Amino acid sequence: MRDERLPERIFATDRFPSRRVNMYASIDYLLVVKEVLKDTAEMARVLGSGFGGLFKLPVRRLTMSGKLVHGLLTRQVVSRKKYELMNVFWGKPLRFSLVEFGAVTGLNCGEFEEGYDHEYQIPAGDGNFAYWERLIGKNQNITIAEIAKMVATDSEMEAWRRLRLCLLMIIDGVLVATTQNPKPTLKYVRLVEDLDKFFSFPTMKPAPKVLGKCEDPIGDYRKKMRHETVKMVGFPIALQLFALQVIPQLVNRLGGDDNATLLDYRGGSIPKHSGLTLAAVLEAEHDESLIAQPMLDRLETEDEGWAMWDDERMDKKVEYMYSQVGAGHVFTKDSWGGGDSGEPLYDHTKKPAKLKRQRTGVAVEVGGPSLKQRRISGYFTRNTVVEDERYVALEVRVEELSKEVTVLKKNWERHRQEIRMRAARSPRKGKGSKKQRTRAKKVEMAGVKKGAKIHHERSGKVGNSLASDRSVEHGGDVLELADHEVCPGMPLAEPEGEDELAGDGVEVREDVFPINYVDQADVEDSFGGLPSQVPDGTIVKQAGAVPVEAEEVGSGEELTDGECAGQEKKERVLDVSDSSPTSRTTRHKPHEREAELAALLLMKDLYHVPEFVPLAVDGDYPFFEEVLQSNLNAKHLTVEGYEFDNKFFMDLAEAECWVTSTHMDVLMRYIRKRRGTSLRDRRSTFIAPWFTAHLDGKVRAFKAAKAKGRVVGDSKIMKYLTMEGQRWGVDVDTLYAPMIWGGSHWVGLCISLDDWRVLVLDPNPSLRSIKEVKELMQPIACMLPYLAQKICPANAVGEHLMVPFHVERLDGVYENIRSGDCGPVAAKFIEMHATGDEHPTMAGLTDELVDIFRKDYAMNIYKDWVVPVYVG
């Protein structure tokens, strides 16, 4: 029941707006200070001062959670107090005053000396900048970021100057930042001249709550809290540190531990997207075991009157609340009333699971599947006790299901006939012009010297296809060429050039592309530019079917996590066609258990958007695995144009199993379809592995070229990044792509046009130092500005021009140190980072969760891409 003697809420219970908070303070400046003053007497002096507590803060608590801070601000109660905030989390009151601020930050919060006015600013006269010019230079518009760069790069800087510049970074860049690009304050520049006085000076004094002159200050505050973003100056992360200190349920949802402090942290920046999400805050607030400490005790070293203000206002309702807290009163949500009720009511109650009705009657043994609503679990047999009438009904239902299975098989057969009809329309021998028939005999094969002959010796016919013995003469050796079947309906590209046959064989031109070059100009699709219906590792050069098993782009051998780029190249296999019809791939005909699996998966939603990281294996996965394991070589043509066998899905699902570039291409395409709405809202998109491999393959030419823009911005990339709906700089600002390093390690890349930054999402950062990562990514970082200038509008590029993209690595996330998982983990990092990194967050992943989401990816891709092909 509501207690009228308690303060009213600003927003009604469970009707809080949820918006974003922009914080101008940057904790990264503390990392710069730690690095440049490492192992020096100056650093020891900083640690022994009032700033020392900042470097002892746990790293995991310092990632700004705008949702948490905004949530605390909207959960305030109405108060006349000038220097205290009162929040109500669930029903428990929380006080945030100078006592709590000093306790969670460790800053010196003593009283100012008599007569000091903290709002006074030194006028910008020429005489007042004498020490500024000595310490910083003549640039009076320099930013804190430029000072940080100056300190980090000038190894010859004097110790006295470096220390004072670092102190300015702490004050203006961390504690009292008021703009997005903070600049040094003249008052503090003058203050650091005398270090003894500076270190004894009270560090912080919170400003009183001033909303300005307005008729309705509470109403004005509510409007501000409903803005899409709320700007916060100063050091608002102290409010987050306080909440994490007094509410254990919030800390438990962060993941990791408090052992890693800023002083021990190895990264160059604080993780940007590993803070608490709105869902995590709401779960903690409605946790049945919620514990909240209303207020913190003042430090033992401080006097009794410490943190008391002479001009503080009295509020009877707040004092009554404090008295109830002291008496041990148990508060509930119903204790608090009032507040704006304009927001929708949030209901956290979970719907109870419906209990199954206990059935009684004649015991009848029923063999076959046990039927459930919206699900067919026909892959195991149960003995069910039913009534006589129900037994008859079940017989009827089983007959209906048998008919449905028959219909599914007929639909599959119809689809197979359609594929055959499309294949029948493909060119046959004798059709087309003489020039076209001649062109069909040309072969481009890298690694064969000019003048090598390819001979055809026809040995006989098998059905409608020709069986041939084929060989290639090359330097006296004979290379046997095996038959290769081509999938009906495969899109094939015409060859380049008009060279005629030379002599008795086919002369291979010297200017052909290397075998690992994929010509995608005529067959690139809307996602990755690779031919969508060509099997992994295959290059098709002309109609009539000449697939060549080839190396993947930019990977050495096939792009796998486990194989090294330095391995010996395997002998390639080429199928030479003389325009005769090629043998067709034997199409897979689903057996009865596959039909049962299809019926089971059809009950699930198409492209279902589940939780970001499933916490348990889907109950239908064991049957899925059993069916696919029974025939690993069965091949399926998917709705997206890929052709997969069952082993492809089992490799994706198996823990610590290496994945290929096709797996990564499929994951990127599938996740983009599943998270499409969220990506559009965030102006982001996913791109295929070929993009980074394509850029990586241009590094040597880029370095040597004078017109570098021509090298980077070729037609394939231009066409890909300017497609309707995903033009870089117009429709999307952020590109997410996987990249393989050294042919053995997958990472994710977040290429941000807004930040002019490449953020590396590394599943195992312990493999390489940040210096090695930057060296590895430097060529790509230098190429991207040329690509942006060529594709993006001028306002998107801004003043960056040809400045290389800044390379960072996201630290503080889960480290996958076991072998074989880096591909799927990199894909999951990309999915989570691009869509908000909700609970359990990238820092909260575990090896067990990796095993679960690998199975989830495999079964859902099969459900959404394979099953629809067979059901029509």
Side-chain angles (χ1 to χ4, degrees), residues 697-710:
K698 292 175 172 287
V699 171
R700 183 177 298 177
F702 176 79
K703 290 181 178 179
K706 292 183 178 179
K708 298 183 182 297
R710 295 182 180 178

Side-chain angles (χ1 to χ4, degrees), residues 100-141:
E100 285 73 28
F101 181 90
V104 298
T105 63
L107 293 168
N108 177 15
C109 298
E111 294 187 17
F112 293 120
E113 62 185 13
E114 190 70 26
Y116 178 79
D117 183 3
H118 70 278
E119 296 182 351
Y120 172 75
Q121 296 293 334
I122 300 177
D126 294 336
N128 294 327
F129 278 91
Y131 186 74
W132 177 297
E133 294 179 359
R134 181 188 172 198
L135 179 63
I136 300 175
K138 294 186 178 181
N139 185 3
Q140 296 182 7
N141 291 316

Side-chain angles (χ1 to χ4, degrees), residues 28-244:
D28 291 348
Y29 290 127
L30 295 177
L31 297 176
V32 177
V33 172
K34 180 202 71 171
E35 191 64 27
V36 299
L37 298 182
K38 186 177 181 180
D39 299 329
T40 63
E42 288 77 16
M43 187 63 191
R45 189 170 186 182
V46 172
L47 293 177
S49 69
F51 298 117
L54 295 175
F55 295 90
K56 299 175 184 178
L57 294 174
V59 174
R60 67 167 180 163
R61 301 189 180 208
L62 293 175
T63 299
M64 179 66 174
S65 171
K67 295 296 185 182
L68 173 58
V69 174
H70 189 275
L72 293 172
L73 294 175
T74 57
R75 284 160 175 78
Q76 286 187 78
V77 297
V78 179
S79 168
R80 298 181 67 251
K81 296 278 188 178
K82 294 173 60 179
Y83 302 105
E84 296 179 5
L85 296 179
M86 265 65 66
N87 312 92
V88 178
F89 197 74
W90 195 71
K92 304 182 183 298
L94 304 174
R95 181 193 71 180
F96 183 65
S97 66
L98 188 59
V99 174
E100 285 73 28
F101 181 90
V104 298
T105 63
L107 293 168
N108 177 15
C109 298
E111 294 187 17
F112 293 120
E113 62 185 13
E114 190 70 26
Y116 178 79
D117 183 3
H118 70 278
E119 296 182 351
Y120 172 75
Q121 296 293 334
I122 300 177
D126 294 336
N128 294 327
F129 278 91
Y131 186 74
W132 177 297
E133 294 179 359
R134 181 188 172 198
L135 179 63
I136 300 175
K138 294 186 178 181
N139 185 3
Q140 296 182 7
N141 291 316
I142 192 171
T143 64
I144 295 297
E146 292 171 330
I147 290 179
K149 183 177 181 180
M150 180 195 312
V151 172
T153 56
D154 189 355
S155 58
E156 303 298 327
M157 184 179 293
E158 300 91 333
W160 69 267
R161 186 183 176 205
R162 180 181 289 109
L163 173 59
R164 287 166 171 80
L165 292 177
C166 286
L167 293 174
L168 289 178
M169 289 163 53
I170 295 175
I171 299 175
D172 284 310
V174 180
L175 298 179
V176 296
T178 57
T179 61
Q180 190 169 6
N181 294 309
K183 298 179 181 180
T185 305
L186 179 59
K187 177 172 62 175
Y188 300 133
V189 173
R190 295 279 297 271
L191 190 61
V192 298
E193 185 174 6
D194 186 347
L195 288 183
D196 292 333
K197 183 179 180 180
F198 175 83
F199 283 121
S200 63
F201 192 82
T203 307
M204 297 295 294
K205 175 187 176 181
K209 294 185 295 183
V210 178
L211 296 176
K213 294 182 179 180
C214 58
E215 297 179 358
D216 184 12
I218 302 301
D220 186 66
Y221 181 80
R222 288 168 179 160
K223 290 180 181 178
K224 290 182 178 180
M225 288 295 103
R226 284 193 171 99
H227 288 175
E228 190 63 29
T229 57
V230 178
K231 180 185 73 171
M232 295 197 71
V233 299
F235 194 56
I237 204 169
L239 186 57
Q240 173 176 303
L241 293 172
F242 163 68
L244 296 175

Side-chain angles (χ1 to χ4, degrees), residues 630-692:
S630 65
N631 188 2
L632 290 176
N633 295 324
K635 290 189 176 181
H636 312 279
L637 183 66
T638 70
V639 294
E640 294 292 327
Y642 295 91
E643 188 177 27
F644 299 141
D645 55 18
N646 286 341
K647 188 177 183 301
F648 174 90
F649 295 99
M650 291 295 95
D651 288 345
L652 178 58
E654 183 180 351
E656 301 184 64
C657 181
W658 307 110
V659 297
T660 66
S661 58
T662 303
H663 284 103
M664 297 302 292
D665 184 64
V666 167
L667 285 173
M668 289 297 98
R669 185 192 293 260
Y670 182 77
I671 296 171
R672 191 183 75 167
K673 284 182 174 293
R674 188 159 72 168
R675 306 291 182 185
T677 301
S678 180
L679 292 177
R680 286 190 295 271
D681 293 343
R682 295 172 178 270
R683 293 178 56 82
S684 303
T685 191
F686 290 174
I687 54 181
W690 78 266
F691 176 80
T692 52

Side-chain angles (χ1 to χ4, degrees), residues 98-99 109-111 298-299 302-310:
L98 188 59
V99 174
C109 298
E111 294 187 17
R298 62 180 175 82
L299 302 177
E302 303 297 343
D303 299 331
E304 186 175 352
W306 182 78
M308 295 182 64
W309 304 91
D310 295 334

Side-chain angles (χ1 to χ4, degrees), residues 395-523:
E395 282 187 323
V396 175
R397 181 58 178 153
V398 169
E399 185 177 353
E400 291 175 353
L401 291 176
S402 299
K403 293 180 180 179
E404 290 181 9
V405 172
T406 303
V407 172
L408 290 176
K409 290 182 178 180
K410 289 182 179 179
N411 288 336
W412 172 85
E413 180 66 26
R414 176 175 54 80
H415 186 78
R416 186 166 68 94
Q417 293 295 337
E418 291 177 356
I419 294 178
R420 287 180 175 176
M421 292 176 63
R422 288 198 298 268
R425 301 190 191 105
S426 60
R428 293 291 186 265
K429 182 177 180 180
K431 295 183 178 181
S433 65
K434 178 179 178 181
K435 187 174 182 180
Q436 289 173 333
R437 295 198 302 273
T438 302
R439 178 182 299 174
K441 295 185 178 181
K442 297 181 182 179
V443 178
E444 294 179 351
M445 184 171 71
V448 181
K449 296 180 180 179
K450 184 176 182 179
K453 308 292 183 177
I454 300 179
H455 300 285
H456 313 259
E457 294 180 8
R458 189 160 308 172
S459 60
K461 293 185 177 181
V462 179
N464 293 326
S465 62
L466 297 175
S468 305
D469 293 327
R470 304 180 178 89
S471 62
V472 178
E473 281 186 15
H474 183 209
D477 297 327
V478 177
L479 307 180
E480 291 296 326
L481 303 179
D483 288 77
H484 188 95
E485 295 178 335
V486 180
C487 173
M490 179 184 298
L492 305 176
E494 290 294 328
E496 299 180 5
E498 301 296 337
D499 293 354
E500 299 294 335
L501 295 176
D504 297 330
V506 179
E507 180 174 333
V508 182
R509 305 197 309 272
E510 287 184 322
D511 60 341
V512 297
F513 294 109
I515 214 83
N516 65 349
Y517 179 84
V518 179
D519 193 353
Q520 304 140 342
D522 299 322
V523 294

